[in-house]
Amino acid sequence: MTSSTIELKQNFSTKLINGLLNIKPLAEFAKAQARKMIIKRAHLIGVNWEDNVQNLQNHSWQEEINAIENPNLQYPPYYLTSFHAYEKGNMSWDAAWELESAAYSVHSTIYSKTPQPDGDRNLRKSYHEFLQTQISTNPENILDIGCGVGLSTFALQEAYPHSHISGLDLSPYFLAVAKYQAQQKGKTINWIHDAGENNNLPLESFDLISNFLIFHELPQSAAENIISHSNKLLKKGGFFAIMDMNPQSEIYQKMPRYVLTLLKSTEPYLDQYFSLDMASVFTKYGFSTPKIVPISCRHRAIIAQKIN
Ligand SMILES: C[S@@+](CC[C@H](N)C(=O)[O-])C[C@H]1O[C@@H](n2cnc3c(N)ncnc32)[C@H](O)[C@@H]1O
């Protein structure tokens, strides 16, 4: 088959999938199937999805919400859309109660074809080992942007037990769960309900700003704004790091376009993330040329230092 025939076939499949996804019942069916698969995989690795959700559902959340919610926050419009097959995206209790189990399930096949329970832990471990090779002194003050229910924040605290750690997110539901989980684990973390690109955190106050699996959820303008705003929040010489999907990995390079289209139906800004030239954005906003390193078969870590 010639390359132009393959191209034509791929365009046809992509258009077909796009057309099918525009038919709401079919899109709902595709999302329900994907969800079933994630829950089935969770069971295979010993995660009791239903019990985990039920336990969180039974808790009364008013106290956490009252403590966390920032009443003056203006949500950026790109955020208030459907993500990961949740109609209300990250702005829902369902998404908050399921996030931890979903992360374990989705990451269970990173290091082997048969689902493994420690895929998520190993992914976070690889990222921290990479950070530790790049940052020679212990960062005193760390910010975790897009902290979700705290998985990345707790992992940072484990890697840097003597640092002061803040977790920032736009979802009050995720932060409420994060706060509750921190209390259960006896951890002290400063939770902030705000936007990564627009907040009143003190300037030049952080030694490390970490972004674990948030960038693929951002349109390019928001990604640029987070990088430029973070430059102002970092002390001179401080580090900005990202762990996220690796568009250059063989898995995504070889992925048929129609599968990427299916992925896009639950990740609305994926194509913008895949086409963003990170190195030029970093240098444009006062960072050194970033180091970009694959850290799993489908993820990369990126790190740069504030130079001005
Ligand atoms: C896939 S989750 C990752 C959560 C967490 N870092 C982890 O490792 O499990 C992405 C998170 O980024 C948050 N997020 C997206 N855009 C954001 C923004 N502009 N500012 C702050 N948080 C944002 C979402 O609410 C969500 O919690």
Side-chain angles (χ1 to χ4, degrees):
M1 216 179 330
T2 64
S3 62
S4 57
T5 324
I6 296 173
E7 180 89 351
L8 269 175
K9 272 194 146 184
Q10 287 206 340
N11 281 344
F12 175 73
S13 324
T14 306
K15 276 193 186 141
L16 182 68
I17 293 289
N18 263 329
L20 292 175
L21 287 174
N22 280 332
I23 305 170
K24 207 166 178 212
L26 280 181
E28 293 308 317
F29 177 75
K31 286 178 189 172
Q33 290 307 106
R35 181 179 163 77
K36 259 193 198 158
M37 199 191 70
I38 291 177
I39 297 176
K40 188 173 161 198
R41 227 190 258 167
H43 291 155
L44 282 175
I45 56 166
V47 170
N48 194 331
W49 184 287
E50 292 77 9
D51 279 6
N52 292 351
V53 171
Q54 190 67 55
N55 286 340
L56 292 173
Q57 213 166 10
N58 288 343
H59 180 70
S60 156
W61 291 97
Q62 207 50 51
E63 194 187 314
E64 282 84 4
I65 281 287
N66 289 348
I68 285 291
E69 204 164 17
N70 170 0
N72 303 317
L73 177 56
Q74 301 269 332
Y75 291 96
Y78 70 80
Y79 184 74
L80 302 174
T81 186
S82 162
F83 280 97
H84 311 143
Y86 297 104
E87 189 72 31
K88 291 189 177 161
N90 296 324
M91 294 294 283
S92 76
W93 282 117
D94 284 343
W97 293 333
E98 293 183 347
L99 196 155
E100 181 171 0
S101 301
Y104 297 151
S105 168
V106 169
H107 297 149
S108 66
T109 52
I110 295 177
Y111 301 100
S112 92
K113 274 196 174 147
T114 11
Q116 298 294 327
D118 50 6
D120 184 80
R121 188 155 42 86
N122 287 336
L123 178 64
R124 296 178 196 278
K125 192 166 160 253
S126 304
Y127 171 61
H128 291 296
E129 281 171 359
F130 169 71
L131 290 190
Q132 278 160 344
T133 62
Q134 302 300 311
I135 308 175
S136 55
T137 51
N138 258 348
E140 205 178 295
N141 220 358
I142 303 178
L143 176 65
D144 181 24
I145 300 187
C147 64
V149 298
L151 299 181
S152 46
T153 332
F154 300 138
L156 275 165
Q157 198 173 52
E158 213 171 289
Y160 298 105
H162 303 296
S163 305
H164 180 264
I165 304 196
S166 302
L168 174 145
D169 206 283
L170 272 170
S171 169
Y173 306 95
F174 289 3
L175 286 168
V177 173
K179 184 174 164 61
Y180 172 72
Q181 301 286 25
Q183 271 158 1
Q184 299 294 304
K185 294 173 201 282
K187 290 183 182 291
T188 308
I189 284 162
N190 175 33
W191 303 109
I192 304 159
H193 183 210
D194 222 327
E197 63 271 49
N198 181 16
N199 54 64
N200 292 320
L201 290 172
L203 303 181
E204 309 216 335
S205 61
F206 292 97
D207 304 281
L208 168 64
I209 298 185
S210 177
N211 301 263
F212 198 98
L213 287 173
I214 154 170
F215 268 71
H216 71 278
E217 288 192 10
L218 300 171
Q220 289 188 351
S221 53
E224 283 210 27
N225 291 341
I226 288 185
I227 293 171
S228 89
H229 185 65
S230 292
N231 181 277
K232 301 188 183 106
L233 301 184
L234 281 167
K235 296 176 191 166
K236 192 148 188 209
F239 291 88
F240 185 83
I242 295 176
M243 190 325 281
D244 218 305
M245 295 156 88
N246 182 4
Q248 270 76 47
S249 65
E250 208 181 318
I251 288 187
Y252 293 118
Q253 289 285 325
K254 287 193 173 163
M255 191 171 269
R257 253 186 261 160
Y258 72 90
V259 181
L260 274 175
T261 308
L262 271 174
L263 248 183
K264 212 188 151 249
S265 71
T266 64
E267 299 285 5
Y269 307 113
L270 197 61
D271 50 357
Q272 294 200 40
Y273 168 72
F274 273 21
S275 61
L276 183 62
D277 177 357
M278 286 287 178
S280 61
V281 179
F282 272 77
T283 48
K284 179 173 167 191
Y285 293 108
F287 288 99
S288 60
T289 303
K291 262 203 180 125
I292 306 181
V293 194
I295 59 153
S296 89
C297 60
R298 56 181 202 250
H299 296 94
R300 66 183 178 185
I302 306 178
I303 192 162
Q305 212 166 359
K306 169 171 170 167
I307 47 178
N308 53 49

